[in-house]
Amino acid sequence: MKKFTNIVPKYAYFPLAMAIVANTLVYNVSKLVTNHFFHYDFTMAVDEAIPLVPIFILIYVFCYVEWVVGYILIARESKEYCFQYVAADIIAKIICLIFFCLVPTTYVRPELGTGIFNDMIAFIYKMDGPVNLFPSIHCLESWMCFRSSIKMQKVPKIYKIFTLIYAFLVFLSVVFVKQHVFIDIIGGILVMELGLWIAKKFDAKRLFFKIDNHLSK
């Protein structure tokens, strides 16, 4: 436990746990709610012109590593920083839930070829059905990693540059592996920005401070 505390500060345990719970509930509960709803397809001409580029599945999959690292660094920056950005993330996920339930979306996936990258895409298709597409949580989380890095004092400049570049690679990956359409990317960015604005406007981090004070007693 002490080794884990050296990686993730104790004050971050509850917020990070809540972020994981929120993400899990939002994605899965919305699927149950909208199972028999009509699902919209937001495919546009630009999406039909974008080819399947199987190698981008590597970017799509490895972004999970980026998120883990990103949230650990957010947690380590400071208690206030952690509470602020995790609160923003949870608010953004609640907004996602509203969209997932009110405007359920779907997408007709392409036929896949052969090869290891196509096999990886096929596995992702099997594990993650073509629903809950708008806004893209993949894009939302990667944008969060970049936005949170901007004002960090404990990370080098190269990390901030990396998160920006990787965010754009993730944007490309979601359309190149045909998991999302272009508008889902825009939705992911805007919803994360809205979450950040709401969290700052209403000082949402206060709730985590209250819980932390209670747990510390």
Side-chain angles (χ1 to χ4, degrees):
M1 180 60 74
K2 187 174 181 180
K3 289 183 178 180
F4 184 73
T5 305
N6 290 335
I7 298 174
V8 178
K10 194 173 181 179
Y11 61 72
Y13 291 1
F14 181 78
L16 293 181
M18 288 302 96
I20 294 171
V21 169
N23 187 74
T24 303
L25 289 178
V26 164
Y27 199 77
N28 291 292
V29 170
S30 59
K31 282 201 238 183
L32 294 175
V33 171
T34 63
N35 187 39
H36 298 292
F37 287 14
F38 174 80
H39 284 62
Y40 299 89
D41 187 337
F42 290 157
T43 302
M44 300 182 293
V46 64
D47 300 299
E48 295 176 349
I50 295 173
L52 174 69
V53 185
I55 195 171
F56 268 86
I57 191 61
L58 296 177
I59 299 294
Y60 186 89
V61 170
F62 281 109
C63 67
Y64 289 99
V65 177
E66 181 208 14
W67 301 344
V68 171
V69 172
Y71 277 85
I72 289 175
L73 292 175
I74 288 171
R76 291 170 63 89
E77 183 68 17
S78 72
K79 180 184 289 190
E80 182 174 358
Y81 208 84
C82 174
F83 291 177
Q84 178 70 19
Y85 279 92
V86 174
D89 177 72
I90 292 175
I91 291 170
K93 295 297 172 51
I94 293 172
I95 298 171
C96 285
L97 177 62
I98 294 171
F99 276 106
F100 291 165
C101 290
L102 296 182
V103 192
T105 49
T106 190
Y107 181 56
V108 178
R109 289 165 164 173
E111 292 291 327
L112 297 175
T114 58
I116 186 170
F117 299 134
N118 281 284
D119 291 343
M120 290 174 68
I121 295 174
F123 177 76
I124 294 297
Y125 284 1
K126 183 178 180 180
M127 298 297 295
D128 186 14
V131 293
N132 291 348
L133 304 180
F134 180 88
S136 166
I137 289 183
H138 251 70
C139 296
L140 182 155
E141 294 286 20
S142 291
W143 189 247
M144 169 68 160
C145 288
F146 163 64
R147 290 287 276 108
S148 64
S149 75
I150 295 176
K151 295 183 179 180
M152 283 184 179
Q153 301 297 315
K154 297 181 179 180
V155 299
K157 185 177 180 180
I158 189 65
Y159 172 76
K160 302 178 183 184
I161 296 172
F162 168 79
T163 57
L164 176 60
I165 294 173
Y166 203 83
F168 279 98
L169 287 175
V170 170
F171 300 163
L172 292 175
S173 77
V174 299
V175 292
F176 279 147
V177 302
K178 299 298 181 178
Q179 273 288 83
H180 288 276
V181 294
F182 180 74
I183 196 171
D184 299 337
I185 300 173
I186 305 301
I189 295 171
L190 292 180
V191 167
M192 189 66 252
E193 289 295 330
L194 181 57
L196 289 166
W197 181 83
I198 292 174
K200 183 177 181 179
K201 178 72 174 179
F202 297 98
D203 196 19
K205 65 179 181 293
R206 287 180 302 169
L207 178 59
F208 283 134
F209 272 108
K210 289 180 180 179
I211 294 173
D212 183 65
N213 289 334
H214 178 75
L215 294 175
S216 299
K217 291 180 180 178

